[in-house]
Amino acid sequence: MSVDGWHTLLVLGGIRSGKSEFAEALVADAPTVRYVATAATGDPADAEWAARLAAHRGRRPAGWTTEETAEDPRRLADVIASAAPDETLLVDDLGGWVTVLLDPAHQPADDTATIAELAAAVRGCPARLVLVSPEVGLSLVPTTPLGRAFADALGSANRAVADACDAVVLVVAGQACWLKPTALAGAAVPAQPARAATPERAAAGAAEAERIPADAAAVAAARAPGWEAALPDVLTPAVAPAPAPSAEPAGAPWAAPTMALPMVTTGLIIQPGMELPMPDEYTGPQAVERLATLDLPPGAGLGVLERVVGFAAATQGTPTPAPWDAVRVLLLHGDHAGGAAAGASPAESARQAAQARAGEGALARLAAENGASLQVAEVPAAAPMEGMPALDLETVDEALRYGWRLAEEAADAGVRLLVLGACGAGTEAAAAAVLAATAGAEPPAVLGRVVTEHGQIDDAAWMRRCAAVRDAVHRTRRSPREARDVLAELGGGTIAAATGVLLGATARRVPVLLDGPVGIAAGLVSRDLAGQARHWCLLADDGGHPAVRLGADVLGLTPLLDLRLDLGEGANALAALPLLRSVLALAAALPARPVTGEGGEGDQDRGDGDEPDFREPEPAGPGPATTEPAQVGRPTEPGRPGEPGQPGQPGQPAESDQPGQPAESDQPGQPAESSQPAEPGQPASTEPDEAATAGADEAATADPAGRRAG
């Protein structure tokens, strides 16, 4: 076939768009094709309709067989479901099928149920299947009830079938636009003509090379078309055996490459506003609530690591997430020229990448200990951003698609967690420039100290980096701040490829463990392309890096740990990964806490259904607990002992609790006028008497039970 890598395909298109010819060309090389015709024969007097049907029949090869389902629209689902695995079916088209479905001769019928049956048959079809359907969603709303019913039913059918198919293509004016990437490894699409190396293109490349300063001469080759000829090999690390006491330590052996995916043209267009999936919004909170029911000691818990369980549950779609058993480390290697790389050597970053491929160094050792596969990807080098764009827009698009395919390849291989890291001269400065452009950060505040190869702090190199980022931001002050423009002007190939990895992982529902400023900068850029990407990211530790702290705060990512590791991007996350796995394993394996009876003597005296009596305590006097203002100056009511400020015995005057102290007033020399009843015919004073109130409070405090002193 001309298109490989898919199993079921939906071809959409308008009237006379060439959709049927395109679908027929897809299956032209198949040994046998069963053509399923869905349209009714129509009125014999309609010569134009008869000519259309004759044209369709005339294009079919003689070896094809034709089967018609116009008599019973429900039969289409049976034909698709009963196809043999070695067959190839071409259904043309769903518009005619919906027309027959809405025909009064087949009513009443449940259109929704019939469309659902068709989608289920497509999803479970064992044969190679191509369906053709007209796209009516771009036209005006029909003015007749029957026209609106047809548009609604066909739109629902297209959506249901598109969701069930592996791939969807829209044909416009004879040109194929692929809407849904294939979900199988090694998928491809119709090959597009390669760009020829014309003299004009060669002259333009030479002119651009003359503009590049001497320190960026190596950038031209990386920016040439075709730099992403193939995805890198995936290596399976092996844990190095413990060296003998008298032997010198040897490098960890690596197995042969387990996978190599050739570069194919996917037709993928990465643009702002993409609708990518979100993690499950219900399973995450359910998993965290379930932790409270586990059989742990009283008061024990997972602390901040509960967020790991919630994140894994949301990304896996289950309240009991499993530990990440298949992990892949993606190490992106690309250098920046100019002041961004001050104090760093491209040769050192190349040595680190080669070291990782050879199974040596911290990253490879930690990957081996975690049983993770490792993939080192080369990305295009970037020009000095202080004087010119780091990349051209064409190379940015290639880097985005390259990163997307890296994530797709990992998902097809069954990877359940990606660890994203980067190495290269100038990558930290590029990340700082992206933060300055997207989050308004000041370059000196997000640039870490520069440490040379010999472990010395180089403040002069740090100042050159700050100047380079400052000049680059100033140069682009009037440039657009769209994602592609930021990557082209400042980000370079490393951050562009990392952004593609995040988008591709989001599309395939694979979580990503970020580590370092490059991943954080890619997360900031990905917000403008697909806001869902940041919800699939997890940050284990910020490493004390100022750019990571600021970018994580903007993204809403809270570091789980505060280890302040500085082993290199990717290695820090791998060092924390065993702890995260242990938390998930514990949460998945622990049973629920058993319910036991708490047997106290008081509980035994009381029945199972009885609850202890509870009575609201009465306030002891005027104060915040009272619901009504205190009334001062009313006469004492006899026969109510125990009232605050009243004598314990009826008919007896109130005496002070302290012998020899008068009870008239707290202030010497002033009579307690407020304690006298109001004269007949005159209302009681509404102003509270401070002396009487204070005396009542003192009496209530000294003798709350109303007992008489002495």
Side-chain angles (χ1 to χ4, degrees):
M1 295 184 179
S2 58
V3 177
D4 197 9
W6 48 264
H7 187 71
T8 54
L9 172 68
L10 175 63
V11 180
L12 298 172
I15 300 174
R16 298 295 188 185
S17 62
K19 59 183 182 298
S20 295
E21 292 89 338
F22 180 84
E24 292 166 3
L26 296 180
V27 298
D29 298 334
T32 59
V33 176
R34 181 150 50 124
Y35 187 98
V36 182
T38 61
T41 305
D43 188 358
D46 191 346
E48 191 273 337
W49 180 252
R52 283 175 178 260
L53 295 181
H56 276 265
R57 295 191 186 100
R59 289 198 307 263
R60 302 172 200 166
W64 290 14
T65 60
T66 302
E67 186 167 352
E68 297 184 358
T69 61
E71 296 297 330
D72 184 7
R74 296 176 183 83
R75 185 168 169 268
L76 178 60
D78 298 335
V79 171
I80 294 175
S82 61
D86 57 347
E87 282 189 291
T88 299
L89 268 64
L90 174 57
V91 180
D92 193 359
D93 68 357
L94 295 184
W97 178 75
V98 171
T99 301
V100 176
L101 181 63
L102 297 179
D103 192 293
H106 301 96
Q107 297 295 328
D110 190 348
D111 305 338
T112 304
T114 306
I115 293 173
E117 292 174 1
L118 175 63
V122 171
R123 186 175 285 106
C125 178
R128 194 83 155 176
L129 177 62
V130 178
L131 302 103
V132 182
S133 182
E135 175 53 55
V136 295
L138 303 179
S139 61
L140 298 176
V141 178
T143 58
T144 62
L146 184 58
R148 289 191 293 270
F150 173 79
D152 293 344
L154 184 56
S156 300
N158 286 344
R159 291 179 57 183
V161 173
D163 182 68
C165 286
D166 298 330
V168 181
V169 61
L170 175 65
V171 179
V172 180
Q175 306 301 312
C177 305
W178 292 84
L179 307 180
K180 184 177 181 181
T182 55
L184 303 176
V189 298
Q192 299 178 357
R195 292 172 294 181
T198 61
E200 292 79 2
R201 182 178 297 276
E208 183 180 10
E210 293 177 0
R211 292 192 301 110
I212 300 177
D215 58 352
V219 176
R223 296 174 65 170
W227 65 269
E228 46 169 355
L231 295 182
D233 295 336
V234 178
L235 305 176
T236 304
V239 180
S246 59
E248 300 235 348
W254 284 74
T258 57
M259 180 181 298
L261 181 66
M263 175 183 173
V264 293
T265 305
T266 62
L268 175 66
I269 299 177
I270 299 178
Q271 57 189 357
M274 293 189 298
E275 290 294 334
L276 299 182
M278 283 281 292
D280 195 303
E281 60 179 327
Y282 301 107
T283 54
Q286 290 173 359
V288 175
E289 292 177 0
R290 177 180 170 274
L291 295 178
T293 66
L294 298 182
D295 191 9
L296 292 171
L302 300 179
V304 296
L305 295 181
E306 289 183 352
R307 298 203 303 268
V308 180
V309 180
F311 174 81
T315 54
Q316 296 180 22
T318 172
T320 56
W324 296 302
D325 52 355
V327 181
R328 176 168 296 180
V329 183
L330 292 179
L331 181 64
L332 306 178
H333 173 232
D335 297 319
H336 285 251
S345 171
E348 175 62 21
S349 65
R351 188 187 69 85
Q352 294 176 6
Q355 190 181 49
R357 291 190 184 96
E360 301 171 354
L363 182 66
R365 297 287 183 175
L366 288 172
E369 292 293 337
N370 284 277
S373 59
L374 176 61
Q375 197 171 19
V376 182
E378 296 291 336
V379 299
M385 61 181 175
E386 61 268 30
M388 60 185 301
L391 294 177
D392 56 72
L393 290 175
E394 183 181 0
T395 308
V396 167
D397 292 336
E398 292 177 352
L400 287 171
R401 290 193 295 268
Y402 184 66
W404 184 296
R405 288 199 310 279
L406 286 172
E408 275 196 334
E409 181 194 18
D412 293 336
V415 172
R416 304 188 65 178
L417 177 69
L418 283 175
V419 178
L420 184 59
C423 67
T427 55
E428 292 189 10
V434 171
L435 264 79
T438 58
E442 290 292 335
V446 293
L447 273 172
R449 305 292 293 272
V450 178
V451 181
T452 64
E453 302 175 10
H454 306 289
Q456 298 176 347
I457 296 178
D458 191 345
D459 289 334
W462 178 83
M463 288 187 286
R464 290 199 300 272
R465 290 188 185 184
C466 291
V469 175
R470 177 203 61 198
D471 294 344
V473 174
H474 180 74
R475 178 183 60 81
T476 61
R477 64 190 183 279
R478 293 186 177 89
S479 300
R481 285 295 186 248
E482 299 293 336
R484 293 172 65 249
D485 298 291
V486 171
L487 292 174
E489 296 287 348
L490 306 171
T494 308
I495 299 179
T499 303
V501 169
L502 296 184
L503 297 175
T506 301
R508 299 300 300 272
R509 301 178 180 271
V510 178
V512 181
L513 192 58
L514 300 180
D515 187 8
V518 170
I520 292 295
L524 292 172
V525 175
S526 67
R527 294 181 306 167
D528 296 334
L529 298 172
Q532 303 86 357
R534 68 182 183 89
H535 297 281
W536 294 87
C537 298
L538 185 67
L539 181 63
D541 187 13
D542 58 20
H545 199 288
V548 178
R549 285 198 300 265
L550 175 62
D553 184 65
V554 175
L555 290 173
L557 301 176
T558 303
L560 299 172
L561 308 171
D562 189 15
L563 303 178
R564 295 185 177 271
L565 295 174
D566 194 12
L567 300 174
E569 289 200 23
N572 301 322
L574 287 176
L577 183 59
L579 176 60
L580 308 185
R581 279 174 159 175
S582 300
V583 168
L584 295 178
L586 184 66
L590 279 180
R593 183 186 304 111
V595 180
T596 57
E598 301 179 11
E601 294 182 359
D603 295 337
Q604 296 176 358
D605 296 340
R606 191 170 59 244
D608 294 340
D610 298 338
E611 296 184 357
D613 295 336
F614 177 78
R615 185 168 51 192
E616 184 73 25
E618 297 182 358
T626 59
T627 59
E628 296 181 358
Q631 297 183 3
V632 184
R634 63 184 180 184
T636 303
E637 299 180 10
R640 297 178 60 184
E643 294 285 347
Q646 300 295 338
Q649 299 294 331
Q652 295 185 3
E655 297 184 6
S656 172
D657 290 334
Q658 301 294 333
Q661 297 290 337
E664 287 80 11
S665 173
D666 288 340
Q667 301 294 334
Q670 294 187 6
E673 298 177 359
S674 60
S675 62
Q676 300 297 330
E679 295 183 5
Q682 295 185 2
S685 174
T686 59
E687 298 294 333
D689 191 294
E690 298 180 359
T693 304
D697 292 341
E698 182 179 357
T701 303
D703 193 8
R707 297 189 299 271
R708 184 176 179 182

